[in-house]
Amino acid sequence: MPEPVYFDHAATTPVREEVFAAMQPFFGPRFGNPSSMHRWGREARTALDEARERLGRCLGASPDEIVFTSCGTEADNMALIGVWRARRGEGSRNAAVSTPIEHKAVLGALHEIAKEGGEERLLMVDSAGRVDASSFDALVRDDTAVCSVMWVNNELGTLQDVQTMAERARSRGVVFHTDAVQAFGKVDIDARRTPFDLLSISGHKIGAPKGIGALFIRRGTPMEPLLFGGSQDRGRRPGTENVAMAVGLARAAELAVAERDEECRRLQALRDRLESTILARVPDAVIHGREAARAPHISNISVPGTESESMLIALDLRGVACSAGSACQSGSITPSHVLEAIGVSTDVAKAAIRFSLGALSTEAGVDRVAEVFPMLAEKARRLATA
Ligand code: PLP
Protein backbone atom coordinates (compact mmCIF):
# COMPACT_ATOMS: atom_id res chain seq x y z
CA MET A 1 0.00 0.00 0.00
CA PRO A 2 1.31 3.53 -0.70
CA GLU A 3 2.25 5.76 2.23
CA PRO A 4 -0.84 6.78 4.24
CA VAL A 5 -1.92 10.39 3.85
CA TYR A 6 -3.17 12.58 6.70
CA PHE A 7 -6.09 14.85 5.90
CA ASP A 8 -7.27 15.55 9.44
CA HIS A 9 -5.34 18.66 10.50
CA ALA A 10 -8.48 20.29 11.93
CA ALA A 11 -8.57 17.41 14.43
CA THR A 12 -4.92 17.76 15.38
CA THR A 13 -1.52 18.47 13.89
CA PRO A 14 1.91 16.89 14.36
CA VAL A 15 4.18 18.64 16.85
CA ARG A 16 6.72 20.71 14.95
CA GLU A 17 10.41 19.92 15.48
CA GLU A 18 11.16 23.54 16.38
CA VAL A 19 8.43 23.44 19.03
CA PHE A 20 9.65 20.16 20.50
CA ALA A 21 13.21 21.53 20.62
CA ALA A 22 12.08 24.71 22.38
CA MET A 23 10.20 22.66 25.01
CA GLN A 24 12.81 20.01 25.70
CA PRO A 25 14.98 21.86 28.29
CA PHE A 26 11.88 22.25 30.49
CA PHE A 27 11.55 18.48 30.74
CA GLY A 28 15.22 18.35 31.79
CA PRO A 29 17.46 20.79 33.62
CA ARG A 30 15.06 23.75 33.48
CA PHE A 31 12.39 22.04 35.58
CA GLY A 32 11.77 24.82 38.11
CA ASN A 33 8.45 26.06 39.45
CA PRO A 34 7.91 29.67 38.34
CA SER A 35 6.61 30.55 41.81
CA SER A 36 9.88 29.55 43.52
CA MET A 37 12.27 32.29 44.61
CA HIS A 38 15.51 30.43 43.85
CA ARG A 39 17.44 30.31 40.58
CA TRP A 40 15.44 27.36 39.18
CA GLY A 41 12.25 29.19 39.87
CA ARG A 42 13.52 32.46 38.44
CA GLU A 43 14.64 30.68 35.29
CA ALA A 44 11.18 29.11 34.84
CA ARG A 45 9.50 32.46 35.56
CA THR A 46 11.62 34.16 32.89
CA ALA A 47 10.72 31.49 30.33
CA LEU A 48 7.03 31.78 31.17
CA ASP A 49 7.07 35.58 31.01
CA GLU A 50 8.84 35.43 27.68
CA ALA A 51 6.32 32.93 26.31
CA ARG A 52 3.48 35.20 27.37
CA GLU A 53 5.13 38.18 25.73
CA ARG A 54 5.85 36.32 22.50
CA LEU A 55 2.35 34.89 22.22
CA GLY A 56 0.93 38.32 23.03
CA ARG A 57 2.94 39.82 20.19
CA CYS A 58 1.40 37.29 17.78
CA LEU A 59 -2.06 38.58 18.75
CA GLY A 60 -1.36 42.28 19.08
CA ALA A 61 -1.81 41.90 22.85
CA SER A 62 0.13 42.82 25.99
CA PRO A 63 1.60 39.94 28.01
CA ASP A 64 -0.83 40.56 30.89
CA GLU A 65 -3.74 39.96 28.50
CA ILE A 66 -2.68 36.33 27.92
CA VAL A 67 -3.80 33.43 30.14
CA PHE A 68 -2.42 29.98 29.37
CA THR A 69 -5.04 27.25 29.68
CA SER A 70 -5.03 23.47 29.36
CA CYS A 71 -6.76 23.52 25.95
CA GLY A 72 -9.09 25.43 23.66
CA THR A 73 -12.08 24.01 25.50
CA GLU A 74 -10.94 25.51 28.78
CA ALA A 75 -10.33 28.88 27.11
CA ASP A 76 -13.84 28.85 25.62
CA ASN A 77 -15.41 27.82 28.95
CA MET A 78 -13.50 30.47 30.85
CA ALA A 79 -14.47 33.18 28.38
CA LEU A 80 -18.20 32.52 28.45
CA ILE A 81 -18.82 31.30 31.98
CA GLY A 82 -16.20 33.60 33.55
CA VAL A 83 -17.66 36.72 31.95
CA TRP A 84 -21.28 35.76 32.45
CA ARG A 85 -20.75 35.08 36.17
CA ALA A 86 -18.82 38.33 36.58
CA ARG A 87 -21.62 40.33 34.96
CA ARG A 88 -24.63 38.60 36.47
CA GLY A 89 -25.18 41.32 39.06
CA GLU A 90 -25.06 44.05 36.41
CA GLY A 91 -28.62 45.23 35.92
CA SER A 92 -30.48 43.10 33.44
CA ARG A 93 -27.50 41.74 31.49
CA ASN A 94 -28.47 38.09 31.76
CA ALA A 95 -28.27 36.72 28.21
CA ALA A 96 -25.42 34.77 26.62
CA VAL A 97 -25.57 34.73 22.82
CA SER A 98 -23.77 32.47 20.38
CA THR A 99 -24.36 30.54 17.15
CA PRO A 100 -25.71 27.04 16.55
CA ILE A 101 -22.55 26.10 14.63
CA GLU A 102 -20.06 26.62 17.46
CA HIS A 103 -17.79 23.89 18.75
CA LYS A 104 -19.26 21.99 21.71
CA ALA A 105 -16.73 23.77 23.94
CA VAL A 106 -18.80 26.93 23.47
CA LEU A 107 -22.23 25.30 23.26
CA GLY A 108 -21.53 23.30 26.44
CA ALA A 109 -20.52 26.50 28.26
CA LEU A 110 -23.72 28.14 27.07
CA HIS A 111 -25.79 25.25 28.51
CA GLU A 112 -23.95 25.64 31.81
CA ILE A 113 -24.87 29.34 31.88
CA ALA A 114 -28.51 28.40 31.22
CA LYS A 115 -28.38 25.95 34.16
CA GLU A 116 -27.18 28.81 36.37
CA GLY A 117 -30.13 30.97 35.34
CA GLY A 118 -28.81 32.76 32.25
CA GLU A 119 -30.75 33.13 29.07
CA GLU A 120 -29.21 31.21 26.16
CA ARG A 121 -29.77 32.64 22.67
CA LEU A 122 -28.59 31.38 19.30
CA LEU A 123 -28.09 33.58 16.26
CA MET A 124 -29.40 32.57 12.86
CA VAL A 125 -26.92 31.39 10.25
CA ASP A 126 -27.40 31.04 6.49
CA SER A 127 -26.87 27.94 4.35
CA ALA A 128 -23.09 28.48 4.32
CA GLY A 129 -22.87 29.08 8.07
CA ARG A 130 -22.58 32.89 8.00
CA VAL A 131 -24.20 34.74 10.90
CA ASP A 132 -27.29 36.65 9.83
CA ALA A 133 -26.71 40.37 10.51
CA SER A 134 -30.32 41.17 11.40
CA SER A 135 -30.43 38.27 13.84
CA PHE A 136 -27.24 39.68 15.44
CA ASP A 137 -28.86 43.08 15.79
CA ALA A 138 -32.01 41.56 17.27
CA LEU A 139 -30.33 39.28 19.81
CA VAL A 140 -27.17 41.12 20.87
CA ARG A 141 -28.51 44.07 22.82
CA ASP A 142 -28.45 45.84 26.16
CA ASP A 143 -29.71 42.78 28.07
CA THR A 144 -26.76 40.69 26.81
CA ALA A 145 -23.75 39.95 29.00
CA VAL A 146 -21.59 38.07 26.53
CA CYS A 147 -21.63 37.06 22.87
CA SER A 148 -19.43 34.41 21.27
CA VAL A 149 -18.98 33.85 17.53
CA MET A 150 -16.27 31.57 16.18
CA TRP A 151 -13.89 33.09 13.64
CA VAL A 152 -13.55 29.95 11.49
CA ASN A 153 -15.93 27.03 11.69
CA ASN A 154 -14.18 23.73 12.34
CA GLU A 155 -16.45 21.65 10.10
CA LEU A 156 -17.01 24.02 7.17
CA GLY A 157 -14.11 26.46 7.27
CA THR A 158 -16.62 29.32 7.00
CA LEU A 159 -15.19 32.70 8.05
CA GLN A 160 -17.27 35.16 10.04
CA ASP A 161 -17.17 38.94 9.87
CA VAL A 162 -15.69 39.21 13.36
CA GLN A 163 -14.63 42.83 12.82
CA THR A 164 -18.21 44.07 12.34
CA MET A 165 -19.71 41.88 15.06
CA ALA A 166 -17.05 42.85 17.62
CA GLU A 167 -17.63 46.54 16.85
CA ARG A 168 -21.40 46.22 17.18
CA ALA A 169 -21.15 44.23 20.40
CA ARG A 170 -18.86 46.86 21.87
CA SER A 171 -21.23 49.68 20.97
CA ARG A 172 -23.94 47.87 22.96
CA GLY A 173 -21.78 47.17 25.99
CA VAL A 174 -21.68 43.42 25.24
CA VAL A 175 -18.46 41.52 25.93
CA PHE A 176 -17.45 39.79 22.69
CA HIS A 177 -15.56 36.49 22.51
CA THR A 178 -14.32 34.69 19.45
CA ASP A 179 -13.16 31.08 19.27
CA ALA A 180 -10.12 31.37 16.99
CA VAL A 181 -8.97 27.78 17.46
CA GLN A 182 -9.26 27.07 13.72
CA ALA A 183 -8.54 30.66 12.67
CA PHE A 184 -5.16 31.20 14.27
CA GLY A 185 -2.44 30.82 11.63
CA LYS A 186 -5.00 31.19 8.85
CA VAL A 187 -6.41 34.65 9.58
CA ASP A 188 -4.56 37.88 10.33
CA ILE A 189 -5.55 38.45 13.96
CA ASP A 190 -4.72 41.71 15.72
CA ALA A 191 -6.36 42.77 18.97
CA ARG A 192 -5.39 46.40 18.27
CA ARG A 193 -7.44 46.41 15.07
CA THR A 194 -10.41 44.18 15.95
CA PRO A 195 -12.21 45.01 19.20
CA PHE A 196 -12.89 41.47 20.45
CA ASP A 197 -12.60 41.29 24.24
CA LEU A 198 -11.66 37.62 24.42
CA LEU A 199 -10.13 35.16 21.98
CA SER A 200 -9.34 31.45 22.35
CA ILE A 201 -6.59 29.43 20.71
CA SER A 202 -5.41 25.83 21.03
CA GLY A 203 -1.85 24.56 20.66
CA HIS A 204 -2.46 21.22 19.01
CA LYS A 205 -4.09 22.78 15.97
CA ILE A 206 -0.91 24.75 15.15
CA GLY A 207 1.96 22.34 15.72
CA ALA A 208 2.24 22.46 19.53
CA PRO A 209 1.26 19.46 21.70
CA LYS A 210 -2.24 18.63 22.90
CA GLY A 211 -3.01 20.02 26.35
CA ILE A 212 -2.17 23.71 25.96
CA GLY A 213 -4.30 26.64 24.90
CA ALA A 214 -4.60 30.31 25.67
CA LEU A 215 -7.24 32.92 26.25
CA PHE A 216 -6.67 36.55 25.34
CA ILE A 217 -8.52 38.72 27.87
CA ARG A 218 -8.55 42.39 27.00
CA ARG A 219 -7.62 44.63 29.94
CA GLY A 220 -10.70 45.66 31.89
CA THR A 221 -12.87 42.71 30.78
CA PRO A 222 -15.01 41.49 33.70
CA MET A 223 -13.99 37.91 34.50
CA GLU A 224 -14.48 35.45 37.36
CA PRO A 225 -12.00 32.58 37.58
CA LEU A 226 -13.23 29.02 37.09
CA LEU A 227 -10.51 27.56 39.33
CA PHE A 228 -9.69 28.55 42.91
CA GLY A 229 -6.42 28.20 44.77
CA GLY A 230 -3.09 29.97 44.46
CA SER A 231 -2.39 33.37 43.02
CA GLN A 232 -0.82 32.23 39.76
CA ASP A 233 -1.75 34.34 36.77
CA ARG A 234 -2.99 37.01 39.19
CA GLY A 235 -5.68 34.61 40.42
CA ARG A 236 -7.27 34.31 36.99
CA ARG A 237 -6.07 30.72 36.65
CA PRO A 238 -4.55 29.23 39.79
CA GLY A 239 -2.36 26.14 39.49
CA THR A 240 1.35 25.71 38.79
CA GLU A 241 1.94 26.88 35.26
CA ASN A 242 2.87 24.42 32.52
CA VAL A 243 6.07 26.16 31.52
CA ALA A 244 7.18 23.72 28.82
CA MET A 245 3.82 23.80 27.07
CA ALA A 246 3.56 27.59 27.28
CA VAL A 247 7.00 27.86 25.66
CA GLY A 248 5.90 25.37 22.98
CA LEU A 249 2.69 27.26 22.26
CA ALA A 250 4.51 30.58 21.92
CA ARG A 251 7.03 29.04 19.50
CA ALA A 252 4.28 27.38 17.43
CA ALA A 253 2.32 30.62 17.31
CA GLU A 254 5.35 32.60 16.10
CA LEU A 255 6.00 30.09 13.35
CA ALA A 256 2.34 30.02 12.31
CA VAL A 257 2.19 33.82 12.06
CA ALA A 258 5.49 34.08 10.16
CA GLU A 259 4.41 31.43 7.64
CA ARG A 260 0.73 32.35 7.45
CA ASP A 261 0.45 34.08 4.08
CA GLU A 262 2.52 31.60 2.16
CA GLU A 263 0.97 28.57 3.88
CA CYS A 264 -2.56 29.88 3.24
CA ARG A 265 -1.79 30.30 -0.46
CA ARG A 266 -0.38 26.77 -0.60
CA LEU A 267 -3.32 25.22 1.25
CA GLN A 268 -5.90 27.08 -0.79
CA ALA A 269 -4.35 25.85 -4.04
CA LEU A 270 -4.37 22.30 -2.67
CA ARG A 271 -7.95 22.55 -1.44
CA ASP A 272 -9.15 23.99 -4.75
CA ARG A 273 -7.39 21.20 -6.61
CA LEU A 274 -9.01 18.61 -4.33
CA GLU A 275 -12.49 20.07 -4.71
CA SER A 276 -12.37 20.64 -8.46
CA THR A 277 -11.04 17.15 -9.15
CA ILE A 278 -13.66 15.53 -6.95
CA LEU A 279 -16.43 17.60 -8.56
CA ALA A 280 -15.19 16.67 -12.04
CA ARG A 281 -15.40 13.00 -11.09
CA VAL A 282 -18.57 13.16 -8.96
CA PRO A 283 -20.60 16.07 -10.33
CA ASP A 284 -23.37 15.72 -7.73
CA ALA A 285 -20.97 15.89 -4.76
CA VAL A 286 -21.99 18.68 -2.36
CA ILE A 287 -19.28 20.93 -0.91
CA HIS A 288 -20.72 22.45 2.23
CA GLY A 289 -20.18 26.17 2.87
CA ARG A 290 -18.57 26.72 -0.52
CA GLU A 291 -20.52 29.94 -1.20
CA ALA A 292 -18.95 31.63 1.81
CA ALA A 293 -15.46 33.02 2.27
CA ARG A 294 -13.62 30.09 3.84
CA ALA A 295 -10.34 29.45 5.61
CA PRO A 296 -8.15 27.46 3.20
CA HIS A 297 -7.66 24.26 5.17
CA ILE A 298 -11.14 22.71 5.45
CA SER A 299 -13.30 21.02 2.85
CA ASN A 300 -16.49 19.25 3.84
CA ILE A 301 -17.95 17.05 1.11
CA SER A 302 -21.02 14.82 0.88
CA VAL A 303 -21.64 12.34 -1.90
CA PRO A 304 -25.39 11.71 -1.69
CA GLY A 305 -26.23 8.04 -1.29
CA THR A 306 -23.13 7.23 0.78
CA GLU A 307 -22.61 7.09 4.56
CA SER A 308 -19.68 8.77 6.23
CA GLU A 309 -18.94 5.97 8.69
CA SER A 310 -18.41 3.28 6.05
CA MET A 311 -16.64 5.78 3.79
CA LEU A 312 -14.22 6.64 6.61
CA ILE A 313 -13.41 2.98 7.13
CA ALA A 314 -12.94 2.40 3.40
CA LEU A 315 -10.75 5.51 3.11
CA ASP A 316 -8.68 4.43 6.09
CA LEU A 317 -8.14 0.99 4.52
CA ARG A 318 -6.79 2.82 1.47
CA GLY A 319 -4.48 4.90 3.64
CA VAL A 320 -6.51 8.12 3.68
CA ALA A 321 -7.10 9.61 7.15
CA CYS A 322 -9.89 12.18 7.43
CA SER A 323 -12.96 12.61 9.57
CA ALA A 324 -16.71 12.50 9.38
CA GLY A 325 -18.61 15.73 9.23
CA SER A 326 -21.01 13.98 11.56
CA ALA A 327 -20.82 12.63 15.07
CA CYS A 328 -20.52 8.90 15.34
CA GLN A 329 -22.05 7.54 18.51
CA SER A 330 -22.09 3.82 19.29
CA GLY A 331 -22.15 2.81 15.66
CA SER A 332 -25.02 5.04 14.58
CA ILE A 333 -24.32 8.28 12.79
CA THR A 334 -26.06 11.37 14.02
CA PRO A 335 -25.80 14.25 11.58
CA SER A 336 -23.50 17.03 12.71
CA HIS A 337 -25.21 19.88 14.56
CA VAL A 338 -23.39 22.26 12.21
CA LEU A 339 -24.75 20.74 9.01
CA GLU A 340 -28.18 20.50 10.60
CA ALA A 341 -28.05 24.21 11.54
CA ILE A 342 -27.21 25.27 7.98
CA GLY A 343 -30.17 23.30 6.66
CA VAL A 344 -28.48 20.28 5.08
CA SER A 345 -30.89 17.34 4.79
CA THR A 346 -30.25 14.42 7.14
CA ASP A 347 -29.31 12.04 4.32
CA VAL A 348 -26.77 14.41 2.84
CA ALA A 349 -25.42 15.35 6.28
CA LYS A 350 -24.91 11.68 7.10
CA ALA A 351 -22.64 11.39 4.07
CA ALA A 352 -20.34 14.26 5.03
CA ILE A 353 -16.59 13.78 5.05
CA ARG A 354 -14.26 16.51 6.30
CA PHE A 355 -10.85 16.77 4.68
CA SER A 356 -8.56 19.17 6.49
CA LEU A 357 -5.20 20.22 5.15
CA GLY A 358 -2.02 21.37 6.81
CA ALA A 359 1.69 20.80 7.18
CA LEU A 360 1.55 17.20 5.94
CA SER A 361 -0.52 17.97 2.83
CA THR A 362 1.10 17.73 -0.58
CA GLU A 363 -0.07 17.77 -4.18
CA ALA A 364 0.61 14.05 -4.46
CA GLY A 365 -1.52 13.44 -1.37
CA VAL A 366 -4.36 15.52 -2.76
CA ASP A 367 -4.23 13.62 -6.03
CA ARG A 368 -4.42 10.33 -4.12
CA VAL A 369 -7.51 11.46 -2.24
CA ALA A 370 -9.08 12.91 -5.38
CA GLU A 371 -8.70 9.53 -7.01
CA VAL A 372 -9.59 7.22 -4.12
CA PHE A 373 -12.56 9.16 -2.73
CA PRO A 374 -14.67 9.28 -5.94
CA MET A 375 -13.89 5.64 -6.61
CA LEU A 376 -15.02 4.54 -3.13
CA ALA A 377 -18.06 6.79 -3.27
CA GLU A 378 -19.19 5.30 -6.57
CA LYS A 379 -18.65 1.81 -5.19
CA ALA A 380 -20.70 2.63 -2.07
CA ARG A 381 -23.52 3.99 -4.23
CA ARG A 382 -23.53 0.91 -6.46
CA LEU A 383 -23.75 -1.33 -3.39
CA ALA A 384 -26.53 0.78 -1.88
CA THR A 385 -28.68 0.50 -4.99
CA ALA A 386 -27.81 -3.16 -5.84
N1 PLP B 1 -12.99 25.22 19.16
C1 PLP B 1 -12.83 24.76 17.93
C2 PLP B 1 -13.33 25.55 16.78
C3 PLP B 1 -12.18 23.53 17.71
O1 PLP B 1 -12.03 23.07 16.46
C4 PLP B 1 -11.72 22.81 18.83
C5 PLP B 1 -11.11 21.48 18.66
O2 PLP B 1 -11.42 20.75 17.74
C6 PLP B 1 -11.89 23.35 20.11
C7 PLP B 1 -12.54 24.56 20.24
C8 PLP B 1 -11.42 22.65 21.34
O3 PLP B 1 -10.01 22.72 21.45
P1 PLP B 1 -9.23 21.67 22.36
O4 PLP B 1 -9.20 20.39 21.60
O5 PLP B 1 -7.86 22.25 22.54
O6 PLP B 1 -9.97 21.56 23.64
Side-chain angles (χ1 to χ4, degrees):
M1 192 172 80
E3 275 285 293
V5 287
Y6 186 78
F7 275 75
D8 208 9
H9 291 80
T12 200
T13 59
V15 175
R16 296 182 63 143
E17 269 175 36
E18 304 92 318
V19 170
F20 189 55
M23 292 172 62
Q24 242 172 350
F26 301 93
F27 294 113
R30 300 178 69 183
F31 62 87
N33 183 331
S35 298
S36 302
M37 299 293 282
H38 47 63
R39 66 182 61 231
W40 280 271
R42 287 198 307 276
E43 191 179 58
R45 164 68 48 203
T46 303
L48 186 67
D49 288 349
E50 272 175 22
R52 212 187 285 281
E53 200 176 311
R54 286 160 57 192
L55 179 58
R57 226 177 286 134
C58 293
L59 294 167
S62 313
D64 62 309
E65 292 176 312
I66 302 293
V67 174
F68 290 108
T69 62
S70 64
C71 55
T73 299
E74 186 192 332
D76 284 345
N77 272 240
M78 187 174 177
L80 274 97
I81 299 172
V83 168
W84 184 81
R85 285 184 185 159
R87 299 198 82 183
R88 86 184 119 183
E90 241 182 82
S92 58
R93 286 202 185 268
N94 190 41
V97 181
S98 191
T99 81
I101 61 167
E102 297 297 311
H103 190 273
K104 295 279 167 128
V106 164
L107 293 176
L110 218 58
H111 297 332
E112 189 54 36
I113 289 171
K115 274 202 259 167
E116 294 183 19
E119 188 194 335
E120 178 183 344
R121 294 186 191 142
L122 293 179
L123 299 163
M124 271 169 45
V125 292
D126 70 9
S127 61
R130 289 164 294 206
V131 169
D132 178 82
S134 56
S135 158
F136 188 89
D137 285 338
L139 298 188
V140 180
R141 45 185 203 234
D142 59 8
D143 63 354
T144 306
V146 59
C147 172
S148 178
V149 178
M150 70 201 315
W151 208 316
V152 168
N153 182 269
N154 52 302
E155 291 190 27
L156 305 168
T158 302
L159 280 156
Q160 302 292 350
D161 182 359
V162 169
Q163 183 73 32
T164 303
M165 286 187 270
E167 283 167 8
R168 291 200 181 161
R170 171 157 298 185
S171 71
R172 293 162 204 177
V174 175
V175 172
F176 186 83
H177 166 252
T178 183
D179 174 337
V181 167
Q182 296 291 345
F184 190 85
K186 307 294 185 312
V187 174
D188 182 6
I189 296 172
D190 189 340
R192 290 162 301 196
R193 188 180 58 230
T194 310
F196 48 76
D197 299 298
L198 304 128
L199 178 140
S200 310
I201 66 169
S202 171
H204 72 108
K205 313 292 184 182
I206 59 165
K210 285 160 265 302
I212 182 75
L215 181 64
F216 160 83
I217 310 176
R218 194 179 291 280
R219 254 180 230 154
T221 305
M223 169 68 67
E224 270 191 18
L226 300 191
L227 300 178
F228 302 91
S231 59
Q232 289 94 344
D233 220 326
R234 297 187 289 135
R236 292 181 298 192
R237 188 181 186 267
T240 302
E241 299 93 337
N242 195 336
V243 181
M245 296 287 243
V247 168
L249 177 60
R251 186 77 193 107
E254 285 176 337
L255 291 166
V257 167
E259 296 167 4
R260 187 187 58 234
D261 293 347
E262 202 181 322
E263 183 64 351
C264 281
R265 272 195 295 278
R266 189 182 80 85
L267 296 181
Q268 186 164 337
L270 290 176
R271 185 200 62 193
D272 292 349
R273 183 182 178 101
L274 176 75
E275 293 184 346
S276 58
T277 318
I278 288 176
L279 276 180
R281 293 179 181 165
V282 191
D284 65 335
V286 182
I287 300 176
H288 302 290
R290 203 178 185 209
E291 318 82 270
R294 284 181 295 162
H297 64 304
I298 295 176
S299 182
N300 191 325
I301 306 180
S302 289
V303 174
T306 65
E307 284 225 328
S308 42
E309 193 188 8
S310 48
M311 282 296 291
L312 276 188
I313 296 167
L315 283 161
D316 187 37
L317 286 171
R318 297 271 178 159
V320 177
C322 50
S323 79
S326 41
C328 195
Q329 287 156 350
S330 59
S332 71
I333 299 171
T334 50
S336 107
H337 68 281
V338 174
L339 296 178
E340 211 166 27
I342 64 169
V344 175
S345 72
T346 305
D347 280 355
V348 175
K350 279 187 169 180
I353 298 286
R354 180 188 68 180
F355 298 102
S356 50
L357 291 76
L360 299 178
S361 308
T362 61
E363 223 168 74
V366 164
D367 292 345
R368 262 272 293 301
V369 177
E371 186 191 326
V372 168
F373 178 65
M375 192 256 295
L376 292 175
E378 284 309 333
K379 198 168 152 196
R381 293 215 271 209
R382 271 202 311 278
L383 282 174
T385 53

